[in-house]
Amino acid sequence: MENLRFSVDVDASAQHVWNTMLNLDTYREWTGAFHEGSTYEGCWNEGDEIRFVGPNDDGTQSGLFGTIVESRPHEFVSVRYLGDIEKDVENRDGSAVGMHESYSFTEAGGVTTLVVDLEVPDEWADDMRGMWPDAVAAIKRLAEQI
């Protein structure tokens, strides 16, 4: 596993950045950086299971699923992945098992620093380095325009 970190300063409150990042409508906008049509199923509450999925050409969905390990609204949320989804089928033995992802929101003087920490399989690291900068830039743009 490789640890990656991405951050961005957003001219908005932590509550607003949290809402922009995690509310379903705006989530669907910024996650286009990974896969057009991406969405999630579930909630961001501690203990909840959540599925992150996107459409395949054949009408099925693929993605990841996990558990919300910790959730402090407008401050911090952490996901532990339990597996991946390939063509609507959950796989609890793939390379995503055990992967972690967290988002921290720290506000000072009306500016929120969003930090994304990832623990990803080595073979995913280059892709994540290519996509997450676009994703955090999109979150910044969305939060500052609303």
Side-chain angles (χ1 to χ4, degrees), residues 72-124:
R72 296 188 314 269
H74 316 135
E75 293 177 19
F76 181 79
V77 66
S78 175
V79 180
R80 180 177 41 87
Y81 289 97
L82 304 173
D84 59 51
I85 303 161
E86 190 62 44
K87 297 191 176 196
D88 294 333
V89 177
E90 289 186 359
N91 173 17
R92 293 180 180 261
D93 296 321
S95 57
V97 174
M99 189 173 86
H100 287 86
E101 187 169 316
S102 66
Y103 314 133
S104 301
F105 305 79
T106 307
E107 183 179 348
V111 174
T112 298
T113 300
L114 167 63
V115 177
V116 177
D117 286 306
L118 307 171
E119 181 185 32
V120 298
D122 294 341
E123 62 270 20
W124 295 10

Short mmCIF file of all heavy atoms in Angstrom, two decimals, residues 72-124:
data_model
loop_
_atom_site.label_atom_id
_atom_site.label_comp_id
_atom_site.label_asym_id
_atom_site.label_seq_id
_atom_site.Cartn_x
_atom_site.Cartn_y
_atom_site.Cartn_z
N ARG A 72 -17.12 12.94 11.89
CA ARG A 72 -17.37 14.12 12.71
C ARG A 72 -17.79 15.22 11.73
O ARG A 72 -16.92 15.81 11.06
CB ARG A 72 -16.13 14.52 13.49
CG ARG A 72 -15.68 13.48 14.50
CD ARG A 72 -14.55 13.95 15.42
NE ARG A 72 -13.46 14.62 14.76
CZ ARG A 72 -12.35 14.03 14.30
NH1 ARG A 72 -12.21 12.72 14.40
NH2 ARG A 72 -11.41 14.73 13.73
N PRO A 73 -19.09 15.47 11.59
CA PRO A 73 -19.57 16.41 10.57
C PRO A 73 -18.80 17.72 10.55
O PRO A 73 -18.53 18.32 11.60
CB PRO A 73 -21.03 16.61 10.93
CG PRO A 73 -21.41 15.30 11.57
CD PRO A 73 -20.19 14.89 12.36
N HIS A 74 -18.43 18.11 9.34
CA HIS A 74 -17.74 19.36 9.03
C HIS A 74 -16.29 19.36 9.51
O HIS A 74 -15.63 20.39 9.42
CB HIS A 74 -18.49 20.58 9.58
CG HIS A 74 -19.97 20.50 9.33
ND1 HIS A 74 -20.89 20.81 10.28
CD2 HIS A 74 -20.67 20.10 8.25
CE1 HIS A 74 -22.10 20.63 9.80
NE2 HIS A 74 -21.99 20.19 8.56
N GLU A 75 -15.78 18.21 9.99
CA GLU A 75 -14.40 18.12 10.46
C GLU A 75 -13.61 16.98 9.82
O GLU A 75 -12.50 17.17 9.35
CB GLU A 75 -14.35 17.93 11.98
CG GLU A 75 -14.82 19.10 12.79
CD GLU A 75 -14.80 18.79 14.28
OE1 GLU A 75 -14.09 17.84 14.71
OE2 GLU A 75 -15.49 19.50 15.03
N PHE A 76 -14.20 15.76 9.86
CA PHE A 76 -13.42 14.59 9.47
C PHE A 76 -14.34 13.42 9.13
O PHE A 76 -15.36 13.21 9.80
CB PHE A 76 -12.51 14.17 10.65
CG PHE A 76 -11.64 12.99 10.36
CD1 PHE A 76 -10.47 13.13 9.63
CD2 PHE A 76 -11.97 11.74 10.85
CE1 PHE A 76 -9.66 12.03 9.37
CE2 PHE A 76 -11.17 10.64 10.60
CZ PHE A 76 -10.01 10.79 9.86
N VAL A 77 -13.96 12.67 8.10
CA VAL A 77 -14.65 11.42 7.78
C VAL A 77 -13.62 10.43 7.25
O VAL A 77 -12.69 10.81 6.54
CB VAL A 77 -15.83 11.63 6.79
CG1 VAL A 77 -15.35 12.07 5.43
CG2 VAL A 77 -16.70 10.39 6.69
N SER A 78 -13.78 9.16 7.64
CA SER A 78 -12.83 8.12 7.26
C SER A 78 -13.58 6.89 6.77
O SER A 78 -14.57 6.48 7.39
CB SER A 78 -11.95 7.76 8.47
OG SER A 78 -11.10 6.68 8.16
N VAL A 79 -13.08 6.30 5.68
CA VAL A 79 -13.69 5.11 5.08
C VAL A 79 -12.64 3.99 5.07
O VAL A 79 -11.49 4.22 4.69
CB VAL A 79 -14.13 5.38 3.62
CG1 VAL A 79 -14.76 4.14 3.01
CG2 VAL A 79 -15.04 6.58 3.52
N ARG A 80 -13.06 2.79 5.48
CA ARG A 80 -12.23 1.59 5.34
C ARG A 80 -12.92 0.73 4.29
O ARG A 80 -14.10 0.38 4.43
CB ARG A 80 -12.10 0.82 6.65
CG ARG A 80 -11.23 -0.44 6.51
CD ARG A 80 -11.03 -1.18 7.83
NE ARG A 80 -12.21 -1.26 8.65
CZ ARG A 80 -13.14 -2.21 8.56
NH1 ARG A 80 -13.03 -3.16 7.65
NH2 ARG A 80 -14.18 -2.22 9.37
N TYR A 81 -12.19 0.38 3.25
CA TYR A 81 -12.79 -0.38 2.15
C TYR A 81 -12.81 -1.87 2.45
O TYR A 81 -11.85 -2.44 2.96
CB TYR A 81 -12.06 -0.07 0.84
CG TYR A 81 -12.38 1.33 0.38
CD1 TYR A 81 -11.52 2.38 0.66
CD2 TYR A 81 -13.58 1.60 -0.26
CE1 TYR A 81 -11.84 3.67 0.28
CE2 TYR A 81 -13.91 2.88 -0.63
CZ TYR A 81 -13.03 3.92 -0.36
OH TYR A 81 -13.35 5.19 -0.72
N LEU A 82 -13.94 -2.48 2.12
CA LEU A 82 -14.15 -3.90 2.35
C LEU A 82 -13.97 -4.71 1.08
O LEU A 82 -13.90 -5.94 1.13
CB LEU A 82 -15.57 -4.13 2.91
CG LEU A 82 -15.90 -3.36 4.18
CD1 LEU A 82 -17.38 -3.53 4.53
CD2 LEU A 82 -15.02 -3.82 5.33
N GLY A 83 -13.95 -4.02 -0.08
CA GLY A 83 -13.79 -4.73 -1.33
C GLY A 83 -14.15 -3.87 -2.51
O GLY A 83 -14.36 -2.67 -2.40
N ASP A 84 -14.21 -4.53 -3.66
CA ASP A 84 -14.59 -3.83 -4.88
C ASP A 84 -15.84 -4.43 -5.48
O ASP A 84 -16.30 -5.49 -5.05
CB ASP A 84 -13.43 -3.79 -5.90
CG ASP A 84 -12.95 -5.18 -6.29
OD1 ASP A 84 -13.79 -6.01 -6.68
OD2 ASP A 84 -11.74 -5.42 -6.24
N ILE A 85 -16.39 -3.72 -6.44
CA ILE A 85 -17.60 -4.15 -7.13
C ILE A 85 -17.26 -4.19 -8.61
O ILE A 85 -16.75 -3.21 -9.16
CB ILE A 85 -18.76 -3.16 -6.90
CG1 ILE A 85 -19.03 -3.00 -5.40
CG2 ILE A 85 -20.02 -3.60 -7.66
CD1 ILE A 85 -19.82 -1.76 -5.05
N GLU A 86 -17.51 -5.31 -9.24
CA GLU A 86 -17.25 -5.45 -10.67
C GLU A 86 -18.51 -5.99 -11.32
O GLU A 86 -18.95 -7.10 -11.00
CB GLU A 86 -16.06 -6.39 -10.91
CG GLU A 86 -15.58 -6.41 -12.34
CD GLU A 86 -15.06 -5.06 -12.82
OE1 GLU A 86 -14.32 -4.39 -12.07
OE2 GLU A 86 -15.43 -4.67 -13.95
N LYS A 87 -19.10 -5.17 -12.18
CA LYS A 87 -20.33 -5.56 -12.89
C LYS A 87 -21.39 -6.03 -11.89
O LYS A 87 -21.94 -7.12 -12.02
CB LYS A 87 -20.05 -6.60 -13.96
CG LYS A 87 -19.15 -6.06 -15.05
CD LYS A 87 -19.06 -6.97 -16.23
CE LYS A 87 -18.22 -6.29 -17.31
NZ LYS A 87 -18.38 -6.89 -18.60
N ASP A 88 -21.66 -5.18 -10.89
CA ASP A 88 -22.69 -5.39 -9.87
C ASP A 88 -22.37 -6.48 -8.84
O ASP A 88 -23.19 -6.76 -7.97
CB ASP A 88 -24.07 -5.69 -10.49
CG ASP A 88 -24.64 -4.51 -11.26
OD1 ASP A 88 -24.30 -3.36 -10.94
OD2 ASP A 88 -25.44 -4.76 -12.18
N VAL A 89 -21.21 -7.12 -8.92
CA VAL A 89 -20.86 -8.21 -8.01
C VAL A 89 -19.79 -7.73 -7.02
O VAL A 89 -18.73 -7.25 -7.44
CB VAL A 89 -20.35 -9.44 -8.78
CG1 VAL A 89 -19.92 -10.55 -7.83
CG2 VAL A 89 -21.42 -9.94 -9.75
N GLU A 90 -20.09 -7.88 -5.71
CA GLU A 90 -19.12 -7.50 -4.67
C GLU A 90 -18.04 -8.56 -4.55
O GLU A 90 -18.31 -9.75 -4.57
CB GLU A 90 -19.82 -7.33 -3.32
CG GLU A 90 -20.70 -6.10 -3.27
CD GLU A 90 -21.28 -5.86 -1.88
OE1 GLU A 90 -21.02 -6.66 -0.94
OE2 GLU A 90 -22.02 -4.87 -1.73
N ASN A 91 -16.79 -8.10 -4.41
CA ASN A 91 -15.64 -8.97 -4.24
C ASN A 91 -14.91 -8.54 -2.97
O ASN A 91 -14.38 -7.43 -2.91
CB ASN A 91 -14.71 -8.86 -5.46
CG ASN A 91 -13.42 -9.61 -5.27
OD1 ASN A 91 -13.28 -10.47 -4.40
ND2 ASN A 91 -12.43 -9.28 -6.09
N ARG A 92 -14.89 -9.39 -1.97
CA ARG A 92 -14.23 -9.06 -0.70
C ARG A 92 -12.80 -9.60 -0.63
O ARG A 92 -12.21 -9.64 0.44
CB ARG A 92 -15.06 -9.61 0.47
CG ARG A 92 -16.40 -8.89 0.59
CD ARG A 92 -17.23 -9.41 1.73
NE ARG A 92 -18.50 -8.70 1.80
CZ ARG A 92 -18.75 -7.68 2.63
NH1 ARG A 92 -17.82 -7.26 3.45
NH2 ARG A 92 -19.93 -7.10 2.62
N ASP A 93 -12.24 -9.99 -1.77
CA ASP A 93 -10.88 -10.53 -1.81
C ASP A 93 -9.94 -9.71 -2.68
O ASP A 93 -8.78 -10.06 -2.83
CB ASP A 93 -10.90 -11.97 -2.35
CG ASP A 93 -11.66 -12.92 -1.45
OD1 ASP A 93 -11.53 -12.78 -0.23
OD2 ASP A 93 -12.38 -13.78 -1.98
N GLY A 94 -10.39 -8.60 -3.25
CA GLY A 94 -9.58 -7.84 -4.19
C GLY A 94 -8.57 -6.92 -3.52
O GLY A 94 -8.44 -6.87 -2.29
N SER A 95 -7.86 -6.19 -4.34
CA SER A 95 -6.79 -5.32 -3.84
C SER A 95 -7.30 -4.13 -3.04
O SER A 95 -6.53 -3.50 -2.32
CB SER A 95 -5.92 -4.83 -5.02
OG SER A 95 -6.71 -4.16 -5.97
N ALA A 96 -8.60 -3.82 -3.12
CA ALA A 96 -9.15 -2.70 -2.36
C ALA A 96 -9.38 -3.03 -0.89
O ALA A 96 -9.52 -2.13 -0.06
CB ALA A 96 -10.47 -2.24 -2.99
N VAL A 97 -9.40 -4.31 -0.53
CA VAL A 97 -9.69 -4.72 0.84
C VAL A 97 -8.63 -4.13 1.78
O VAL A 97 -7.43 -4.27 1.56
CB VAL A 97 -9.73 -6.26 0.98
CG1 VAL A 97 -9.87 -6.67 2.44
CG2 VAL A 97 -10.85 -6.83 0.14
N GLY A 98 -9.12 -3.42 2.82
CA GLY A 98 -8.23 -2.83 3.80
C GLY A 98 -7.75 -1.43 3.46
O GLY A 98 -7.13 -0.76 4.30
N MET A 99 -8.02 -0.96 2.26
CA MET A 99 -7.63 0.38 1.86
C MET A 99 -8.38 1.41 2.72
O MET A 99 -9.51 1.18 3.12
CB MET A 99 -7.98 0.56 0.37
CG MET A 99 -7.45 1.80 -0.26
SD MET A 99 -7.78 1.78 -2.06
CE MET A 99 -9.43 2.45 -2.10
N HIS A 100 -7.73 2.52 3.03
CA HIS A 100 -8.34 3.60 3.81
C HIS A 100 -8.34 4.90 3.01
O HIS A 100 -7.46 5.14 2.19
CB HIS A 100 -7.57 3.84 5.12
CG HIS A 100 -7.78 2.78 6.13
ND1 HIS A 100 -7.03 1.64 6.17
CD2 HIS A 100 -8.66 2.69 7.15
CE1 HIS A 100 -7.42 0.89 7.18
NE2 HIS A 100 -8.42 1.49 7.78
N GLU A 101 -9.33 5.73 3.32
CA GLU A 101 -9.44 7.06 2.71
C GLU A 101 -10.06 7.96 3.76
O GLU A 101 -11.00 7.57 4.44
CB GLU A 101 -10.34 6.97 1.48
CG GLU A 101 -10.44 8.20 0.65
CD GLU A 101 -11.13 7.91 -0.68
OE1 GLU A 101 -10.82 6.88 -1.33
OE2 GLU A 101 -11.98 8.72 -1.06
N SER A 102 -9.51 9.17 3.93
CA SER A 102 -10.10 10.10 4.88
C SER A 102 -10.04 11.52 4.35
O SER A 102 -9.18 11.87 3.53
CB SER A 102 -9.41 10.02 6.24
OG SER A 102 -8.08 10.46 6.15
N TYR A 103 -11.00 12.32 4.82
CA TYR A 103 -11.10 13.73 4.45
C TYR A 103 -11.13 14.56 5.72
O TYR A 103 -11.93 14.30 6.62
CB TYR A 103 -12.38 14.01 3.66
CG TYR A 103 -12.70 13.03 2.55
CD1 TYR A 103 -13.97 12.50 2.43
CD2 TYR A 103 -11.74 12.63 1.63
CE1 TYR A 103 -14.29 11.61 1.42
CE2 TYR A 103 -12.05 11.73 0.62
CZ TYR A 103 -13.32 11.23 0.51
OH TYR A 103 -13.63 10.34 -0.48
N SER A 104 -10.24 15.56 5.81
CA SER A 104 -10.19 16.47 6.96
C SER A 104 -10.54 17.87 6.48
O SER A 104 -10.07 18.31 5.42
CB SER A 104 -8.79 16.49 7.57
OG SER A 104 -8.40 15.21 7.98
N PHE A 105 -11.32 18.58 7.29
CA PHE A 105 -11.78 19.94 6.98
C PHE A 105 -11.37 20.84 8.15
O PHE A 105 -11.90 20.70 9.24
CB PHE A 105 -13.30 19.97 6.83
CG PHE A 105 -13.83 18.99 5.81
CD1 PHE A 105 -13.98 17.64 6.13
CD2 PHE A 105 -14.20 19.41 4.54
CE1 PHE A 105 -14.48 16.73 5.21
CE2 PHE A 105 -14.71 18.51 3.61
CZ PHE A 105 -14.85 17.17 3.94
N THR A 106 -10.42 21.76 7.91
CA THR A 106 -9.94 22.65 8.97
C THR A 106 -10.16 24.09 8.53
O THR A 106 -9.60 24.52 7.52
CB THR A 106 -8.44 22.41 9.24
OG1 THR A 106 -8.23 21.02 9.49
CG2 THR A 106 -7.97 23.23 10.43
N GLU A 107 -10.96 24.81 9.30
CA GLU A 107 -11.33 26.19 8.94
C GLU A 107 -10.56 27.19 9.80
O GLU A 107 -10.45 27.02 11.02
CB GLU A 107 -12.82 26.40 9.13
CG GLU A 107 -13.30 27.77 8.72
CD GLU A 107 -14.80 27.96 8.90
OE1 GLU A 107 -15.52 26.97 9.14
OE2 GLU A 107 -15.23 29.12 8.81
N ALA A 108 -10.04 28.23 9.15
CA ALA A 108 -9.39 29.34 9.85
C ALA A 108 -9.61 30.61 9.04
O ALA A 108 -9.27 30.66 7.85
CB ALA A 108 -7.90 29.07 10.03
N GLY A 109 -10.20 31.60 9.66
CA GLY A 109 -10.41 32.88 8.99
C GLY A 109 -11.27 32.80 7.74
O GLY A 109 -11.04 33.54 6.78
N GLY A 110 -12.26 31.92 7.74
CA GLY A 110 -13.15 31.80 6.59
C GLY A 110 -12.60 30.97 5.45
O GLY A 110 -13.23 30.84 4.40
N VAL A 111 -11.40 30.40 5.62
CA VAL A 111 -10.80 29.54 4.60
C VAL A 111 -10.70 28.13 5.19
O VAL A 111 -10.26 27.94 6.32
CB VAL A 111 -9.40 30.04 4.19
CG1 VAL A 111 -8.72 29.05 3.25
CG2 VAL A 111 -9.49 31.42 3.56
N THR A 112 -11.13 27.16 4.41
CA THR A 112 -11.09 25.77 4.85
C THR A 112 -10.01 25.02 4.07
O THR A 112 -9.99 25.08 2.84
CB THR A 112 -12.45 25.08 4.65
OG1 THR A 112 -13.41 25.76 5.45
CG2 THR A 112 -12.40 23.62 5.05
N THR A 113 -9.16 24.35 4.80
CA THR A 113 -8.18 23.46 4.18
C THR A 113 -8.77 22.06 4.17
O THR A 113 -9.08 21.51 5.23
CB THR A 113 -6.84 23.48 4.94
OG1 THR A 113 -6.33 24.81 4.94
CG2 THR A 113 -5.83 22.54 4.28
N LEU A 114 -8.95 21.54 2.97
CA LEU A 114 -9.42 20.17 2.78
C LEU A 114 -8.19 19.30 2.53
O LEU A 114 -7.39 19.60 1.65
CB LEU A 114 -10.36 20.09 1.58
CG LEU A 114 -10.68 18.69 1.06
CD1 LEU A 114 -11.42 17.86 2.11
CD2 LEU A 114 -11.47 18.77 -0.24
N VAL A 115 -8.02 18.26 3.34
CA VAL A 115 -6.92 17.31 3.17
C VAL A 115 -7.51 15.94 2.92
O VAL A 115 -8.35 15.47 3.68
CB VAL A 115 -5.99 17.28 4.41
CG1 VAL A 115 -4.90 16.23 4.22
CG2 VAL A 115 -5.39 18.65 4.67
N VAL A 116 -7.07 15.31 1.84
CA VAL A 116 -7.49 13.96 1.48
C VAL A 116 -6.30 13.05 1.67
O VAL A 116 -5.24 13.27 1.06
CB VAL A 116 -7.97 13.91 0.01
CG1 VAL A 116 -8.34 12.48 -0.39
CG2 VAL A 116 -9.13 14.87 -0.22
N ASP A 117 -6.44 12.07 2.56
CA ASP A 117 -5.39 11.06 2.79
C ASP A 117 -5.88 9.73 2.26
O ASP A 117 -7.00 9.30 2.58
CB ASP A 117 -5.08 10.94 4.28
CG ASP A 117 -4.28 12.12 4.80
OD1 ASP A 117 -3.22 12.41 4.22
OD2 ASP A 117 -4.73 12.76 5.77
N LEU A 118 -5.04 9.07 1.47
CA LEU A 118 -5.39 7.78 0.87
C LEU A 118 -4.33 6.76 1.19
O LEU A 118 -3.14 7.08 1.21
CB LEU A 118 -5.44 7.89 -0.66
CG LEU A 118 -6.28 8.95 -1.31
CD1 LEU A 118 -6.00 9.00 -2.80
CD2 LEU A 118 -7.74 8.66 -1.07
N GLU A 119 -4.76 5.54 1.41
CA GLU A 119 -3.86 4.40 1.46
C GLU A 119 -4.36 3.49 0.35
O GLU A 119 -5.45 2.92 0.44
CB GLU A 119 -3.96 3.71 2.81
CG GLU A 119 -3.04 2.53 2.94
CD GLU A 119 -3.23 1.79 4.25
OE1 GLU A 119 -4.37 1.76 4.77
OE2 GLU A 119 -2.25 1.23 4.74
N VAL A 120 -3.58 3.40 -0.73
CA VAL A 120 -4.03 2.68 -1.92
C VAL A 120 -3.02 1.60 -2.31
O VAL A 120 -1.83 1.70 -2.00
CB VAL A 120 -4.25 3.64 -3.11
CG1 VAL A 120 -5.33 4.65 -2.80
CG2 VAL A 120 -2.96 4.33 -3.52
N PRO A 121 -3.50 0.57 -3.01
CA PRO A 121 -2.56 -0.43 -3.54
C PRO A 121 -1.53 0.26 -4.43
O PRO A 121 -1.84 1.22 -5.15
CB PRO A 121 -3.46 -1.36 -4.36
CG PRO A 121 -4.84 -1.17 -3.80
CD PRO A 121 -4.89 0.27 -3.36
N ASP A 122 -0.31 -0.22 -4.38
CA ASP A 122 0.78 0.39 -5.16
C ASP A 122 0.41 0.57 -6.63
O ASP A 122 0.73 1.59 -7.23
CB ASP A 122 2.05 -0.46 -5.05
CG ASP A 122 2.63 -0.48 -3.66
OD1 ASP A 122 2.30 0.42 -2.85
OD2 ASP A 122 3.41 -1.41 -3.36
N GLU A 123 -0.30 -0.41 -7.19
CA GLU A 123 -0.63 -0.35 -8.62
C GLU A 123 -1.66 0.73 -8.94
O GLU A 123 -1.87 1.06 -10.10
CB GLU A 123 -1.07 -1.71 -9.15
CG GLU A 123 -2.33 -2.28 -8.52
CD GLU A 123 -2.09 -3.15 -7.30
OE1 GLU A 123 -1.02 -3.05 -6.67
OE2 GLU A 123 -3.00 -3.92 -6.96
N TRP A 124 -2.32 1.30 -7.92
CA TRP A 124 -3.30 2.36 -8.14
C TRP A 124 -2.71 3.76 -7.94
O TRP A 124 -3.32 4.76 -8.28
CB TRP A 124 -4.48 2.23 -7.18
CG TRP A 124 -5.32 1.01 -7.34
CD1 TRP A 124 -5.08 -0.09 -8.11
CD2 TRP A 124 -6.57 0.77 -6.69
NE1 TRP A 124 -6.09 -1.00 -7.96
CE2 TRP A 124 -7.02 -0.50 -7.10
CE3 TRP A 124 -7.34 1.50 -5.80
CZ2 TRP A 124 -8.21 -1.05 -6.65
CZ3 TRP A 124 -8.53 0.95 -5.35
CH2 TRP A 124 -8.96 -0.30 -5.77
#
